[in-house]
Amino acid sequence: MQLNLKPLREPKINWKRGGAELIGIALAFPLLCAMIIMAVGVMQTGITRQSLEYANYMGARAAVTADNYETARTQAASAVKMTLNDNTFGVDIDNVSVNIDLVAGTTAAGSNSSSNGITWEKGALAKCETVVPYKSLFDFQEHQMKSTLYVMVEKPAKTFK
Amino acid sequence: MKPQKINWAQGSGSMIIIALITMMTIYLLLLYMTITNIFYAKTVATSRTDLIADSVAVYAQSYDYSFNKSRAEEMRGVLTDYNNTTTDAFTISTTLDFPEPISSNDSIIDRLKISSIVQTVFWYGNTNNYIYTTAESIVDSIDIWKDILVVPDNIGNNEHKPTEDPITPSDEQEDILVVPDKTTQSDDTKVGE
């Protein structure tokens, strides 16, 4: 058997061939990138929506066990922001708005009342609303997402003389 | 100079592959959005059920490990109605049950169970198909004097007992417990029909 001992020549690359492949990729690449960004944007929206519901729930739970209206607002805001900070991305935590309002209960003169005069006490109904501004990767615009729930205030209960 | 001929047949491979990848991505996105919707419904169901159960239990708590059942039913209805006014994205319906009491430390402890069904649309804008998610929350009763107001012995004063009737609302207090206008669900409502 005879061995072919000719030195290997470097293959010549014909750059003109395959040019259409490059054009094809160049045309489709932006579309592919847009799809990936869109996928991340949809994921971001889904995660933010779930986290917002959970954060609002945590805020409401923190609020209803407070002794007075002001403490409830502070505790709710802290709980919501802490929860959102751990579970979301693209959310400006400093601009998250947490509102606690009393919507039903008894009115009485006193400092422990909401703006509409309802007293913060066991049995009153509180509306907990969280608004989250976030920059969507879907369209690069700022959007707002809102969650509202109602819960009963648990403290302070009426006392015995 | 002659215009260069372009052979469009060449390069179609990458176009086809990228078109396939794009279609697959769109399909996965739709799948993901549907799953997200289901998870959202589950989050709403668990959080609302837990909050309603806690509120109902606190509102209906009576002495000696028992619940006031009519008060429990009242608060369940009010909270369900209110929580249905918050958004059109879901509808929640709840039921209240009182499972068999349990005994612990020579006491019979009442229990209450809130079961909820959350209905959301299967696909955004499609009002014909719905997702139904269920959740349950059981709360045990406590003795509000023995279990909450007992202070450790080293502090003393562990004999908290009600000595008089509770304070009744004074004349200037106005009861404004209002049921919201939009009452979309009740116990008997069958969702999705």
Side-chain angles (χ1 to χ4, degrees):
Chain A
M1 189 177 170
Q2 199 172 4
L3 288 173
N4 184 6
L5 296 175
K6 275 201 244 174
L8 287 170
R9 281 188 295 177
E10 282 188 14
K12 278 187 181 176
I13 299 173
N14 183 1
W15 289 104
K16 287 181 181 174
R17 291 186 65 181
E21 288 278 342
L22 284 174
I23 292 170
I25 290 173
L27 284 174
F29 195 68
L31 182 70
L32 202 62
C33 287
M35 292 304 301
I36 291 168
I37 290 170
M38 208 181 282
V40 177
V42 168
M43 284 175 70
Q44 181 200 26
T45 307
I47 290 169
T48 306
R49 196 160 74 136
Q50 279 180 65
S51 300
L52 171 61
E53 287 296 334
Y54 181 62
N56 199 26
Y57 158 77
M58 295 294 282
R61 288 208 69 125
V64 293
T65 52
D67 283 324
N68 58 60
Y69 182 57
E70 284 307 317
T71 311
R73 294 177 65 176
T74 312
Q75 285 186 184
S78 304
V80 166
K81 288 180 180 180
M82 204 184 301
T83 311
L84 283 174
N85 201 26
D86 293 341
N87 297 308
T88 54
F89 60 99
V91 171
D92 187 1
I93 298 293
D94 293 333
N95 289 329
V96 170
S97 133
V98 183
N99 288 317
I100 304 284
D101 280 322
L102 291 173
V103 294
T106 55
T107 53
S111 58
N112 193 16
S113 302
S114 65
S115 55
N116 51 11
I118 300 174
T119 309
W120 182 270
E121 63 181 358
K122 178 184 170 183
L125 291 190
K127 176 186 179 186
C128 308
E129 188 173 86
T130 303
V131 181
V132 170
Y134 72 102
K135 277 203 172 159
S136 173
L137 291 171
F138 198 79
D139 55 3
F140 299 102
Q141 300 291 315
E142 187 155 313
H143 295 274
Q144 285 194 337
M145 211 177 268
K146 190 171 82 171
S147 169
T148 308
L149 58 83
Y150 290 89
V151 67
M152 191 197 78
V153 176
E154 297 180 7
K155 285 171 69 180
K158 283 188 171 28
T159 53
F160 292 89
K161 278 182 179 175
Chain B
M1 186 180 170
K2 280 185 179 176
Q4 194 178 353
K5 277 189 178 175
I6 299 172
N7 183 6
W8 290 106
Q10 281 192 38
S12 59
S14 58
M15 290 290 278
I16 289 169
I17 287 171
I18 288 176
L20 281 175
I21 292 172
T22 306
M23 284 166 65
M24 229 163 64
T25 313
I26 290 172
Y27 174 73
L28 289 175
L29 268 182
L30 297 179
L31 207 64
Y32 179 78
M33 286 167 84
T34 307
I35 291 169
T36 302
N37 218 14
I38 295 169
F39 283 165
Y40 169 73
K42 194 69 189 170
T43 308
V44 167
T46 50
S47 61
R48 300 304 191 278
T49 306
D50 192 58
L51 283 175
I52 290 174
D54 276 1
S55 296
V56 166
V58 172
Y59 187 70
Q61 182 64 61
S62 189
Y63 306 113
D64 300 329
Y65 301 100
S66 64
F67 285 124
N68 182 324
K69 295 182 180 177
S70 61
R71 280 170 70 93
E73 184 59 37
E74 178 191 7
M75 183 50 71
R76 181 209 62 78
V78 168
L79 280 177
T80 305
D81 290 342
Y82 266 96
N83 278 296
N84 270 323
T85 61
T86 57
T87 174
D88 293 330
F90 65 84
T91 306
I92 184 168
S93 60
T94 58
T95 53
L96 172 66
D97 295 314
F98 294 94
E100 283 295 308
I102 55 171
S103 59
S104 170
N105 296 333
D106 300 330
S107 301
I108 304 297
I109 298 176
D110 270 356
R111 312 177 89 194
L112 67 79
K113 181 172 85 172
I114 294 286
S115 309
S116 71
I117 300 173
V118 168
Q119 171 192 297
T120 53
V121 289
F122 181 72
W123 187 249
Y124 304 95
N126 182 356
T127 53
N128 295 323
N129 295 317
Y130 295 102
I131 296 169
Y132 299 95
T133 314
T134 58
E136 282 182 2
S137 187
I138 296 177
V139 185
D140 289 351
S141 175
I142 55 172
D143 185 328
I144 58 173
W145 295 109
K146 288 177 188 165
D147 287 353
I148 288 185
L149 294 180
V150 167
V151 181
D153 288 339
N154 57 354
I155 300 175
N157 193 20
N158 61 348
E159 293 298 323
H160 292 270
K161 296 285 179 189
T163 53
E164 293 181 15
D165 288 334
I167 300 170
T168 51
S170 56
D171 292 335
E172 66 270 17
Q173 287 181 327
E174 182 189 355
D175 192 351
I176 56 164
L177 191 65
V178 183
V179 178
D181 293 330
K182 186 188 168 191
T183 54
T184 53
Q185 291 289 328
S186 68
D187 264 353
D188 302 328
T189 307
K190 291 178 181 173
V191 290
E193 286 194 343

